[in-house]
Amino acid sequence: GNSVTQMEGPVTLSEEAFLTINCTYTATGYPSLFWYVQYPGEGLQLLLKATKADDKGSNKGFEATYRKETTSFHLEKGSVQVSDSAVYFCALPTSGTYKYIFGTGTRLKVLA
Amino acid sequence: GAGVSQSPSNKVTEKGKDVELRCDPISGHTALYWYRQSLGQGLEFLIYFQGNSAPDKSGLPSDRFSAERTGGSVSTLTIQRTQQEDSAVYLCASSFRRDRGTDTQYFGPGTRLTVL
């Protein structure tokens, strides 16, 4: 079945540093891929998604490219801010169902 | 508009007691999900409702867990005879369910359950 592996955290960066959070997947076919973010004290919310291979999702300065060759969907941001401190989850649907699989989450802490 | 709401936000109970957790999805959303988020773990799928169809209960960890959705809207997750390992944050999400596997899920703030 489909699965997702996400880099472990926590990740601690200084403001304006470059961010990469790795996410790799195994899947039947080419399912949509998602990044969700959970800010402190808030519920999860969609950050970005890509619905087919080679697509790039982007939002709030974050980007992720759906790479079928490497089965990856790494999250990147060129210059992080303190307000980006949160937990980031990679996710994809299970094959043939409406269930979604979420990674274990990567906590990002950005220092001023 | 209003987002997904959950109540209570926090629940402390004693081992062996029953608890009910409530979720109010976004109006018009036909799909509703329950997840469990344990410390240091990802989201664990529990159950999925879609309209009037039979729910997908494949993620419920034991027969102590049950859920219902009344009138295609509000949902209640019930945990009977709670155990300490049930302590977690229980999240509810809803979506329009337009297309299989592409929907954006909208999450509630969660209910933090602590079983003493």
Side-chain angles (χ1 to χ4, degrees):
Chain A
N2 294 1
S3 66
V4 61
T5 301
Q6 190 174 341
M7 74 183 277
E8 292 187 17
V11 174
T12 303
L13 296 173
S14 298
E15 209 166 22
E16 300 183 3
F18 184 86
L19 169 70
T20 300
I21 299 178
N22 291 337
C23 172
T24 57
Y25 66 90
T26 58
T28 303
Y30 301 107
S32 295
L33 301 174
F34 301 78
W35 277 102
Y36 282 83
V37 59
Q38 187 174 31
Y39 297 104
E42 298 183 17
L44 273 80
Q45 58 186 271
L46 179 71
L47 179 60
L48 55 83
K49 68 179 180 181
T51 58
K52 59 183 187 292
D54 300 325
D55 265 5
K56 176 184 286 187
S58 61
N59 186 26
K60 299 182 180 181
F62 290 87
E63 293 184 340
T65 301
Y66 190 154
R67 300 195 186 280
K68 60 181 187 294
E69 300 85 2
T70 53
T71 62
S72 65
F73 193 55
H74 303 326
L75 183 68
E76 297 181 334
K77 185 173 186 182
S79 176
V80 294
Q81 304 301 311
V82 172
S83 57
D84 294 326
S85 298
V87 182
Y88 294 82
F89 294 88
C90 186
L92 78 166
T94 56
S95 178
T97 77
Y98 290 94
K99 295 190 292 189
Y100 287 77
I101 301 168
F102 286 77
T104 53
T106 302
R107 182 176 298 278
L108 170 66
K109 184 174 183 179
V110 180
L111 304 176
Chain B
V4 177
S5 61
Q6 292 185 245
S7 61
S9 55
N10 280 285
K11 177 71 176 178
V12 180
T13 190
E14 294 180 347
K15 177 182 174 181
K17 301 287 189 182
D18 298 351
V19 296
E20 285 190 353
L21 312 180
R22 177 186 168 105
C23 172
D24 284 87
I26 293 173
S27 178
H29 280 191
T30 59
L32 187 147
Y33 300 79
W34 282 99
Y35 296 91
R36 180 167 67 176
Q37 185 177 22
S38 303
L39 189 63
Q41 304 295 315
L43 273 67
E44 175 188 7
F45 166 82
L46 297 177
I47 188 168
Y48 163 75
F49 294 91
Q50 169 55 40
N52 296 320
S53 301
D56 179 344
K57 304 179 182 180
S58 60
L60 295 178
S62 77
D63 58 8
R64 296 186 296 105
F65 288 72
S66 62
E68 63 178 20
R69 188 178 184 190
T70 53
S73 181
V74 172
S75 178
T76 302
L77 176 69
T78 301
I79 309 173
Q80 296 179 310
R81 304 181 303 282
T82 52
Q83 304 294 312
Q84 289 182 331
E85 59 262 29
D86 299 334
S87 297
V89 176
Y90 289 83
L91 298 173
C92 175
S94 68
S95 73
F96 280 114
R97 208 216 85 172
R98 292 190 190 91
D99 298 300
R100 187 190 301 260
T102 64
D103 287 349
T104 296
Q105 294 180 62
Y106 295 82
F107 284 81
T111 294
R112 181 176 298 278
L113 174 66
T114 302
V115 181
L116 302 178

XYZ file of all heavy atoms in Angstrom, chain A residues 8-102:
745
model
N 12.952 13.333 10.118
C 12.669 13.577 11.514
C 13.170 14.962 11.907
O 14.126 15.481 11.366
C 13.347 12.519 12.380
C 12.744 11.140 12.200
C 13.309 10.152 13.199
O 13.903 10.581 14.195
O 13.150 8.931 12.969
N 12.513 15.529 12.867
C 12.974 16.796 13.402
C 13.533 16.603 14.797
O 13.803 15.484 15.204
N 13.640 17.640 15.536
C 13.304 18.990 15.101
C 14.389 19.604 14.219
O 15.536 19.197 14.271
C 13.162 19.752 16.417
C 14.076 19.024 17.347
C 14.044 17.582 16.943
N 13.970 20.544 13.417
C 14.880 21.322 12.596
C 14.928 22.725 13.169
O 13.886 23.358 13.349
C 14.394 21.373 11.133
C 15.271 22.307 10.308
C 14.356 19.982 10.522
N 16.122 23.183 13.465
C 16.298 24.520 14.024
C 17.125 25.342 13.057
O 18.228 24.930 12.690
C 16.973 24.479 15.404
O 16.188 23.663 16.289
C 17.087 25.882 15.982
N 16.587 26.469 12.630
C 17.269 27.341 11.686
C 17.246 28.777 12.171
O 16.363 29.169 12.944
C 16.567 27.282 10.320
C 16.571 25.947 9.580
C 15.695 26.040 8.334
C 17.977 25.548 9.207
N 18.176 29.534 11.677
C 18.164 30.980 11.919
C 17.273 31.638 10.869
O 17.103 31.115 9.754
C 19.577 31.552 11.841
O 20.394 30.978 12.836
N 16.734 32.770 11.236
C 15.892 33.515 10.294
C 16.670 33.769 9.011
O 17.871 34.021 9.024
C 15.473 34.826 10.937
C 14.148 35.355 10.460
C 13.589 36.456 11.350
O 14.378 37.104 12.077
O 12.367 36.663 11.324
N 15.952 33.668 7.891
C 16.480 33.877 6.539
C 17.291 32.694 6.024
O 17.795 32.749 4.898
C 17.307 35.173 6.442
C 16.490 36.418 6.786
C 17.281 37.700 6.611
O 18.440 37.625 6.166
O 16.738 38.774 6.917
N 17.397 31.629 6.768
C 18.083 30.436 6.262
C 17.208 29.705 5.254
O 15.986 29.918 5.185
C 18.432 29.511 7.424
N 17.844 28.821 4.481
C 17.145 27.992 3.503
C 16.624 26.730 4.189
O 17.335 26.115 4.981
C 18.090 27.606 2.364
C 17.428 26.840 1.254
C 16.789 27.508 0.225
C 17.432 25.446 1.239
C 16.166 26.814 -0.806
C 16.808 24.738 0.213
C 16.175 25.423 -0.809
N 15.395 26.376 3.849
C 14.759 25.219 4.476
C 14.491 24.126 3.450
O 13.988 24.398 2.348
C 13.423 25.620 5.095
C 12.508 24.472 5.554
C 13.091 23.785 6.783
C 11.096 24.978 5.835
N 14.826 22.903 3.840
C 14.375 21.716 3.113
C 13.868 20.706 4.124
O 14.574 20.392 5.085
C 15.500 21.060 2.289
O 15.999 21.980 1.329
C 14.979 19.832 1.563
N 12.675 20.217 3.910
C 12.142 19.109 4.699
C 11.838 17.991 3.714
O 11.032 18.153 2.798
C 10.873 19.492 5.476
C 11.161 20.625 6.453
C 10.339 18.271 6.236
C 9.940 21.099 7.234
N 12.513 16.867 3.913
C 12.397 15.765 2.965
C 11.138 14.938 3.185
O 10.744 14.667 4.323
C 13.612 14.851 3.061
C 14.871 15.512 2.551
O 14.811 16.452 1.765
N 16.018 15.037 2.998
N 10.551 14.520 2.069
C 9.415 13.619 2.094
C 9.539 12.685 0.900
O 9.663 13.150 -0.246
C 8.097 14.386 2.017
S 6.634 13.340 1.802
N 9.528 11.392 1.163
C 9.507 10.411 0.087
C 8.298 9.511 0.266
O 7.784 9.365 1.379
C 10.782 9.561 0.062
O 10.936 8.929 1.333
C 12.010 10.406 -0.224
N 7.866 8.919 -0.806
C 6.632 8.146 -0.752
C 6.770 6.869 -1.568
O 7.637 6.758 -2.435
C 5.454 8.980 -1.277
C 5.560 9.297 -2.756
C 5.022 8.458 -3.722
C 6.226 10.450 -3.177
C 5.148 8.731 -5.065
C 6.361 10.736 -4.526
C 5.823 9.879 -5.453
O 5.957 10.152 -6.798
N 5.917 5.926 -1.284
C 5.688 4.785 -2.149
C 4.203 4.766 -2.447
O 3.375 5.007 -1.566
C 6.103 3.453 -1.494
O 5.374 3.300 -0.272
C 7.576 3.433 -1.193
N 3.881 4.524 -3.703
C 2.474 4.612 -4.085
C 2.201 3.817 -5.345
O 3.087 3.617 -6.180
C 2.081 6.069 -4.303
N 0.958 3.409 -5.445
C 0.454 2.834 -6.684
C -0.033 3.982 -7.542
O -0.877 4.774 -7.124
C -0.704 1.864 -6.382
O -0.255 0.854 -5.483
C -1.218 1.249 -7.662
N 0.514 4.088 -8.735
C 0.118 5.182 -9.605
C 0.733 6.501 -9.148
O 1.803 6.533 -8.532
N 0.021 7.578 -9.437
C 0.527 8.919 -9.135
C -0.537 9.697 -8.356
O -1.246 10.536 -8.914
C 0.894 9.640 -10.433
C 1.940 8.893 -11.228
C 1.610 8.215 -12.389
C 3.252 8.833 -10.780
C 2.565 7.508 -13.109
C 4.221 8.128 -11.487
C 3.867 7.468 -12.653
O 4.811 6.769 -13.354
N -0.610 9.429 -7.062
C -1.617 10.120 -6.247
C -1.230 11.567 -6.015
O -0.059 11.958 -6.171
C -1.580 9.352 -4.926
C -0.167 8.863 -4.839
C 0.220 8.513 -6.247
N -2.184 12.377 -5.626
C -1.887 13.738 -5.200
C -1.013 13.691 -3.944
O -1.092 12.763 -3.151
C -3.177 14.486 -4.874
O -3.969 14.644 -6.031
N -0.200 14.711 -3.787
C 0.676 14.823 -2.621
C 0.414 16.153 -1.928
O 0.146 17.162 -2.594
C 2.144 14.725 -3.035
C 2.558 13.438 -3.754
C 4.001 13.539 -4.231
C 2.389 12.233 -2.839
N 0.499 16.134 -0.616
C 0.110 17.291 0.184
C 1.179 17.623 1.230
O 1.861 16.736 1.743
C -1.187 17.001 0.960
C -2.376 16.639 0.108
C -2.514 15.372 -0.422
C -3.376 17.579 -0.136
C -3.612 15.031 -1.198
C -4.477 17.240 -0.902
C -4.589 15.977 -1.437
N 1.272 18.891 1.570
C 1.947 19.334 2.776
C 0.922 20.108 3.611
O 0.291 21.049 3.116
C 3.135 20.249 2.472
C 4.385 19.514 2.138
C 4.934 19.304 0.899
C 5.286 18.893 3.058
N 6.089 18.581 0.989
C 6.336 18.310 2.308
C 5.309 18.762 4.456
C 7.397 17.626 2.899
C 6.360 18.075 5.038
C 7.385 17.512 4.265
N 0.789 19.675 4.858
C -0.036 20.380 5.822
C 0.883 20.981 6.883
O 1.971 20.450 7.162
C -1.028 19.436 6.502
C -2.240 19.100 5.661
C -2.188 18.090 4.708
C -3.431 19.804 5.819
C -3.304 17.792 3.929
C -4.553 19.501 5.056
C -4.477 18.500 4.109
O -5.581 18.210 3.347
N 0.423 22.066 7.504
C 1.208 22.725 8.544
C 0.334 22.931 9.773
O -0.873 23.187 9.667
C 1.788 24.073 8.041
C 0.687 25.039 7.598
C 2.647 24.728 9.112
N 0.952 22.761 10.921
C 0.250 22.963 12.196
C 1.026 23.995 12.997
O 2.088 23.698 13.556
C 0.156 21.642 12.957
C -0.697 21.692 14.206
C -0.858 20.314 14.833
O 0.034 19.467 14.743
N -2.001 20.080 15.480
N 0.502 25.219 13.036
C 1.122 26.283 13.829
C 0.784 26.067 15.299
O -0.233 25.443 15.627
C 0.650 27.648 13.358
C 1.054 27.964 11.940
C 0.132 27.908 10.891
C 2.372 28.297 11.627
C 0.503 28.180 9.586
C 2.752 28.556 10.324
C 1.814 28.495 9.312
O 2.194 28.748 8.018
N 1.610 26.567 16.189
C 1.377 26.370 17.627
C -0.033 26.778 18.031
O -0.488 27.881 17.731
C 2.438 27.258 18.273
C 3.533 27.348 17.269
C 2.852 27.329 15.933
N -0.720 25.867 18.698
C -2.059 26.159 19.199
C -3.153 26.163 18.155
O -4.295 26.512 18.468
N -2.827 25.771 16.932
C -3.834 25.784 15.869
C -4.013 24.390 15.266
O -3.216 23.487 15.482
C -3.424 26.761 14.773
C -3.302 28.204 15.235
C -2.969 29.145 14.084
O -3.151 28.752 12.909
O -2.535 30.272 14.379
N -5.088 24.241 14.492
C -5.315 22.989 13.791
C -4.471 22.896 12.530
O -3.913 23.879 12.058
N -4.385 21.688 11.981
C -3.668 21.518 10.724
C -4.364 22.285 9.613
O -5.590 22.372 9.572
C -3.631 20.042 10.316
C -2.498 19.182 10.850
C -2.808 18.764 12.275
C -2.298 17.961 9.974
N -3.567 22.799 8.702
C -4.133 23.451 7.526
C -3.276 23.123 6.319
O -2.070 22.905 6.436
C -4.224 24.971 7.732
C -2.915 25.645 8.048
C -3.106 27.123 8.388
O -3.084 27.974 7.505
N -3.280 27.412 9.665
N -3.927 23.092 5.175
C -3.208 22.784 3.957
C -2.208 23.888 3.663
O -2.537 25.076 3.682
C -4.173 22.651 2.789
C -3.520 22.356 1.441
C -2.976 20.930 1.419
C -4.512 22.568 0.302
N -0.967 23.506 3.375
C 0.044 24.469 2.957
C 0.128 24.504 1.429
O 0.063 25.565 0.821
C 1.404 24.104 3.554
C 2.575 25.010 3.188
C 2.320 26.436 3.638
C 3.867 24.472 3.800
N 0.247 23.331 0.823
C 0.283 23.250 -0.631
C 0.033 21.813 -1.054
O 0.128 20.895 -0.237
C 1.611 23.771 -1.189
C 2.913 23.151 -0.660
C 3.246 21.854 -1.392
C 4.074 24.124 -0.795
N -0.269 21.648 -2.335
C -0.456 20.301 -2.850
C -0.097 20.257 -4.320
O -0.029 21.306 -4.991
C -1.891 19.813 -2.640
C -2.947 20.542 -3.461
C -4.327 19.949 -3.175
C -5.416 20.655 -3.977
N -6.778 20.091 -3.666
N 0.147 19.061 -4.824
C 0.389 18.832 -6.238
C -0.434 17.617 -6.644
O -0.386 16.595 -5.967
C 1.871 18.591 -6.506
N -1.196 17.749 -7.701
C -2.142 16.704 -8.052
C -1.636 15.759 -9.130
O -2.285 14.745 -9.405
C -3.485 17.305 -8.494
O -3.254 18.182 -9.597
C -4.122 18.081 -7.352
N -0.516 16.060 -9.757
C 0.035 15.113 -10.720
C 1.549 15.256 -10.787
O 2.124 16.268 -10.371
C -0.574 15.298 -12.102
C -0.397 16.654 -12.737
C -1.123 16.686 -14.067
C -0.835 17.959 -14.832
N -1.422 19.145 -14.184
N 2.164 14.225 -11.321
C 3.620 14.183 -11.399
C 4.158 15.402 -12.140
O 3.561 15.871 -13.108
C 4.055 12.895 -12.086
N 5.288 15.905 -11.646
C 6.013 17.061 -12.183
C 5.368 18.403 -11.832
O 5.927 19.452 -12.157
C 6.196 16.962 -13.705
C 6.975 15.730 -14.115
O 7.894 15.343 -13.366
O 6.645 15.127 -15.145
N 4.222 18.364 -11.182
C 3.605 19.613 -10.743
C 4.404 20.213 -9.588
O 5.027 19.499 -8.805
C 2.176 19.360 -10.255
C 1.152 19.613 -11.338
O 1.548 19.884 -12.484
O -0.055 19.530 -11.030
N 4.311 21.524 -9.460
C 4.910 22.210 -8.319
C 3.792 22.892 -7.555
O 3.010 23.653 -8.127
C 5.938 23.234 -8.779
C 6.540 24.049 -7.629
C 7.488 25.131 -8.125
C 8.801 24.561 -8.593
N 9.782 25.619 -8.930
N 3.726 22.616 -6.272
C 2.800 23.328 -5.404
C 3.543 24.450 -4.716
O 4.734 24.317 -4.400
N 2.862 25.566 -4.484
C 3.521 26.683 -3.820
C 2.512 27.495 -3.024
O 1.336 27.586 -3.392
C 4.232 27.582 -4.833
O 3.307 28.124 -5.753
N 3.000 28.077 -1.934
C 2.150 28.900 -1.077
C 3.027 29.518 -0.005
O 3.904 28.845 0.556
C 1.047 28.055 -0.429
C 0.047 28.890 0.345
O -0.163 30.062 0.063
N -0.583 28.272 1.330
N 2.818 30.767 0.293
C 3.518 31.483 1.378
C 5.027 31.383 1.243
O 5.741 31.351 2.256
C 3.085 30.930 2.742
C 1.605 31.076 3.035
C 1.282 30.555 4.433
C -0.201 30.707 4.741
N -0.532 30.233 6.092
N 5.546 31.304 0.051
C 6.978 31.220 -0.159
C 7.520 29.801 -0.123
O 8.698 29.576 -0.408
N 6.677 28.846 0.245
C 7.065 27.444 0.244
C 6.785 26.827 -1.129
O 5.828 27.199 -1.794
C 6.277 26.656 1.300
C 6.631 26.979 2.717
C 6.010 28.029 3.380
C 7.580 26.235 3.394
C 6.325 28.330 4.690
C 7.896 26.522 4.710
C 7.279 27.564 5.359
N 7.626 25.864 -1.485
C 7.433 25.135 -2.743
C 7.725 23.662 -2.531
O 8.537 23.298 -1.674
C 8.392 25.652 -3.831
C 8.134 27.054 -4.291
C 9.067 27.445 -5.427
O 10.115 26.784 -5.585
O 8.736 28.400 -6.152
N 7.067 22.830 -3.342
C 7.386 21.401 -3.363
C 7.075 20.888 -4.749
O 6.019 21.201 -5.310
C 6.582 20.637 -2.319
N 7.997 20.105 -5.310
C 7.824 19.576 -6.656
C 7.601 18.073 -6.581
O 8.359 17.351 -5.921
C 9.041 19.882 -7.530
O 9.218 21.297 -7.592
C 8.840 19.342 -8.940
N 6.590 17.616 -7.257
C 6.210 16.199 -7.321
C 7.169 15.512 -8.290
O 7.039 15.632 -9.498
C 4.778 16.126 -7.829
C 4.072 14.802 -7.765
C 2.685 14.774 -7.693
C 4.737 13.594 -7.804
C 1.982 13.578 -7.639
C 4.055 12.394 -7.764
C 2.673 12.395 -7.683
O 1.990 11.208 -7.643
N 8.123 14.786 -7.765
C 9.147 14.141 -8.594
C 8.928 12.628 -8.572
O 9.234 11.970 -7.568
C 10.541 14.493 -8.102
C 10.820 15.993 -8.129
C 12.291 16.308 -7.998
N 12.546 17.744 -7.890
C 12.582 18.581 -8.899
N 12.351 18.155 -10.136
N 12.835 19.863 -8.712
N 8.430 12.114 -9.692
C 8.130 10.680 -9.727
C 9.400 9.853 -9.875
O 9.456 8.710 -9.434
C 7.157 10.352 -10.852
C 7.616 10.690 -12.262
C 6.519 10.324 -13.251
C 6.980 10.479 -14.695
N 7.252 11.896 -15.043
N 10.456 10.436 -10.435
C 11.693 9.684 -10.632
C 12.317 9.305 -9.293
O 12.896 8.232 -9.139
C 12.703 10.494 -11.445
C 12.231 10.895 -12.838
C 11.408 12.182 -12.808
O 11.245 12.770 -11.708
O 10.915 12.585 -13.873
N 12.226 10.239 -8.345
C 12.820 9.990 -7.031
C 11.746 9.749 -5.968
O 12.081 9.623 -4.782
C 13.670 11.201 -6.601
O 12.867 12.396 -6.682
C 14.880 11.348 -7.504
N 10.514 9.654 -6.383
C 9.343 9.495 -5.472
C 9.478 10.411 -4.273
O 9.430 9.979 -3.106
C 9.134 8.032 -5.044
O 10.277 7.562 -4.316
C 8.901 7.141 -6.231
N 9.648 11.692 -4.573
C 9.853 12.658 -3.500
C 8.953 13.866 -3.662
O 8.469 14.157 -4.772
C 11.314 13.096 -3.456
O 11.652 13.806 -4.643
N 8.763 14.563 -2.571
C 7.943 15.781 -2.556
C 8.513 16.675 -1.455
O 7.848 17.022 -0.486
C 6.485 15.423 -2.303
C 5.492 16.541 -2.561
C 5.450 17.195 -3.776
C 4.570 16.911 -1.587
C 4.527 18.204 -4.026
C 3.631 17.920 -1.817
C 3.630 18.566 -3.042
N 9.760 17.049 -1.599
C 10.466 17.806 -0.570
C 9.929 19.231 -0.479
O 9.713 19.895 -1.505
C 11.959 17.854 -0.870
C 12.601 16.506 -1.010
N 12.206 15.400 -0.269
C 13.612 16.071 -1.808
C 12.937 14.357 -0.596
N 13.798 14.737 -1.541
N 9.796 19.709 0.725
C 9.313 21.069 0.980
C 10.511 22.005 1.109
O 11.456 21.702 1.837
C 8.484 21.093 2.264
C 7.856 22.428 2.639
C 6.773 22.807 1.635
C 7.269 22.367 4.048
N 10.450 23.140 0.423
C 11.559 24.094 0.446
C 11.047 25.510 0.631
O 9.940 25.852 0.194
C 12.365 24.019 -0.865
C 13.027 22.685 -1.118
C 13.827 22.662 -2.412
O 13.492 23.438 -3.320
O 14.775 21.874 -2.496
N 11.894 26.306 1.273
C 11.630 27.743 1.351
C 12.980 28.441 1.367
O 13.878 28.041 2.115
C 10.816 28.109 2.582
C 10.431 29.592 2.589
C 9.476 29.940 3.720
C 9.023 31.401 3.586
N 8.123 31.839 4.682
N 13.093 29.485 0.598
C 14.379 30.132 0.427
C 14.839 30.934 1.630
O 16.041 31.053 1.890
N 13.889 31.472 2.395
C 14.256 32.340 3.506
C 13.171 32.239 4.573
O 12.096 32.826 4.435
C 14.389 33.791 3.022
O 14.657 34.660 4.103
N 13.472 31.463 5.613
C 12.429 31.235 6.620
C 12.334 32.406 7.596
O 13.295 33.153 7.798
C 12.688 29.928 7.403
C 12.554 28.728 6.485
C 14.045 29.957 8.090
N 11.164 32.519 8.182
C 10.898 33.551 9.177
C 10.501 32.886 10.493
O 10.103 31.720 10.509
C 9.749 34.452 8.689
C 10.006 35.086 7.337
C 11.259 35.937 7.324
O 11.451 36.774 8.205
N 12.122 35.733 6.326
N 10.594 33.646 11.562
C 10.213 33.114 12.870
C 8.777 32.586 12.830
O 8.454 31.568 13.439
C 10.382 34.184 13.960
C 9.800 33.707 15.276
C 11.861 34.547 14.124
N 7.929 33.262 12.070
C 6.517 32.877 11.983
C 6.298 31.547 11.253
O 5.185 31.016 11.258
C 5.712 33.965 11.280
O 6.247 34.213 9.991
N 7.337 31.007 10.646
C 7.225 29.694 9.993
C 7.408 28.546 10.982
O 7.257 27.370 10.609
C 8.271 29.555 8.878
C 8.042 30.508 7.729
O 6.860 30.804 7.428
O 9.035 30.980 7.143
N 7.740 28.859 12.207
C 7.899 27.831 13.227
C 6.583 27.073 13.396
O 5.540 27.668 13.706
C 8.325 28.459 14.564
O 9.570 29.105 14.433
N 6.640 25.776 13.169
C 5.420 24.972 13.143
C 5.827 23.512 12.947
O 7.019 23.193 12.832
C 4.502 25.403 11.993
N 4.830 22.635 12.874
C 5.061 21.238 12.527
C 4.507 21.015 11.130
O 3.366 21.395 10.848
C 4.400 20.274 13.531
C 4.707 18.828 13.147
C 4.883 20.558 14.946
N 5.294 20.397 10.272
C 4.933 20.190 8.878
C 4.714 18.698 8.615
O 5.523 17.862 9.010
C 6.033 20.747 7.966
C 6.154 22.247 8.076
C 6.869 22.840 9.114
C 5.518 23.088 7.152
C 6.950 24.221 9.240
C 5.599 24.466 7.260
C 6.307 25.024 8.307
O 6.372 26.393 8.428
N 3.610 18.392 7.938
C 3.230 17.009 7.658
C 3.104 16.786 6.156
O 2.405 17.529 5.465
C 1.876 16.671 8.289
C 1.843 16.680 9.783
C 1.577 17.856 10.474
C 2.080 15.516 10.507
C 1.536 17.872 11.859
C 2.044 15.519 11.888
C 1.777 16.697 12.565
N 3.736 15.748 5.686
C 3.577 15.300 4.315
C 2.456 14.263 4.292
O 2.314 13.480 5.245
C 4.895 14.688 3.835
S 4.962 14.234 2.109
N 1.637 14.237 3.229
C 0.503 13.321 3.208
C 0.154 12.908 1.790
O 0.413 13.652 0.830
C -0.719 13.962 3.876
N -0.458 11.730 1.668
C -0.981 11.274 0.384
C -2.160 10.337 0.645
O -2.274 9.758 1.727
C 0.080 10.570 -0.445
C 0.464 9.124 -0.112
C 1.267 8.526 -1.265
C 1.229 9.039 1.165
N -3.045 10.183 -0.347
C -4.182 9.282 -0.160
C -3.748 7.835 -0.347
O -2.791 7.548 -1.082
C -5.153 9.716 -1.256
C -4.275 10.288 -2.325
C -3.112 10.910 -1.622
N -4.447 6.938 0.308
C -4.198 5.526 0.062
C -4.849 5.129 -1.253
O -5.818 5.742 -1.683
C -4.761 4.664 1.190
O -6.157 4.954 1.334
C -4.056 4.941 2.488
N -4.293 4.117 -1.876
C -4.745 3.720 -3.191
C -6.177 3.202 -3.145
O -6.502 2.331 -2.343
C -3.814 2.631 -3.741
O -4.255 2.184 -4.996
N -7.018 3.787 -3.981
C -8.375 3.273 -4.119
C -9.328 3.602 -2.992
O -10.443 3.098 -2.959
N -8.905 4.434 -2.063
C -9.795 4.778 -0.942
C -9.774 6.288 -0.728
O -9.051 7.014 -1.401
C -9.369 4.104 0.368
O -8.255 4.802 0.919
C -9.000 2.649 0.162
N -10.552 6.716 0.214
C -10.560 8.128 0.588
C -9.740 8.385 1.853
O -9.777 9.464 2.408
C -12.000 8.606 0.791
C -12.755 8.668 -0.512
C -13.538 7.597 -0.926
C -12.665 9.779 -1.333
C -14.209 7.646 -2.129
C -13.335 9.828 -2.541
C -14.108 8.763 -2.935
O -14.776 8.805 -4.130
N -9.012 7.382 2.295
C -8.180 7.571 3.476
C -6.868 8.228 3.077
O -6.372 8.029 1.978
C -7.895 6.228 4.141
C -9.137 5.564 4.703
C -8.800 4.373 5.546
C -8.233 3.257 4.727
N -8.103 2.015 5.533
N -6.311 8.987 4.010
C -5.050 9.661 3.782
C -4.016 9.158 4.781
O -4.325 8.850 5.920
C -5.208 11.182 3.928
C -5.953 11.804 2.769
C -7.334 11.700 2.680
C -5.275 12.481 1.759
C -8.021 12.257 1.610
C -5.947 13.045 0.693
C -7.315 12.924 0.619
O -7.992 13.470 -0.446
N -2.776 9.095 4.317
C -1.659 8.726 5.174
C -0.828 9.968 5.423
O -0.475 10.684 4.477
C -0.777 7.660 4.490
C -1.604 6.410 4.176
C 0.411 7.311 5.375
C -0.879 5.459 3.271
N -0.546 10.227 6.685
C 0.264 11.377 7.063
C 1.615 10.908 7.593
O 1.708 9.881 8.264
C -0.441 12.191 8.153
C -1.600 13.001 7.650
C -2.824 12.407 7.378
C -1.471 14.365 7.443
C -3.902 13.151 6.908
C -2.544 15.126 6.980
C -3.745 14.513 6.709
